[in-house]
Amino acid sequence: MTNKEIAQQLNISEHTVESQLTKANTFIRTKLKDHYELSIALLFTMLMR
């Protein structure tokens, strides 16, 4: 789904979607920083979808 589609579905602004996705990505990177192997496995799993 695009940010625009998400915003329309949730009836929120596209900027809000972008902001929340950025926060989520930052949170995930911070939490996985010390777990390199897990990070690689998750990335690989996401790419295989």
Side-chain angles (χ1 to χ4, degrees), residues 1-14 17:
M1 278 183 111
T2 66
N3 289 352
K4 184 175 185 175
E5 291 170 332
I6 295 168
Q8 289 173 341
Q9 185 75 25
L10 297 175
N11 199 28
I12 59 176
S13 74
E14 213 172 322
V17 173

Side-chain angles (χ1 to χ4, degrees), residues 17-27 29:
V17 173
E18 292 168 4
S19 173
Q20 292 301 311
L21 286 172
T22 299
K23 287 179 183 181
N25 284 331
T26 301
F27 176 82
R29 282 191 201 115

Side-chain angles (χ1 to χ4, degrees), residues 35-47:
H35 304 285
Y36 178 76
E37 295 84 12
L38 180 59
S39 299
I40 296 300
L42 286 173
L43 177 62
F44 181 74
T45 301
M46 290 172 57
L47 291 174

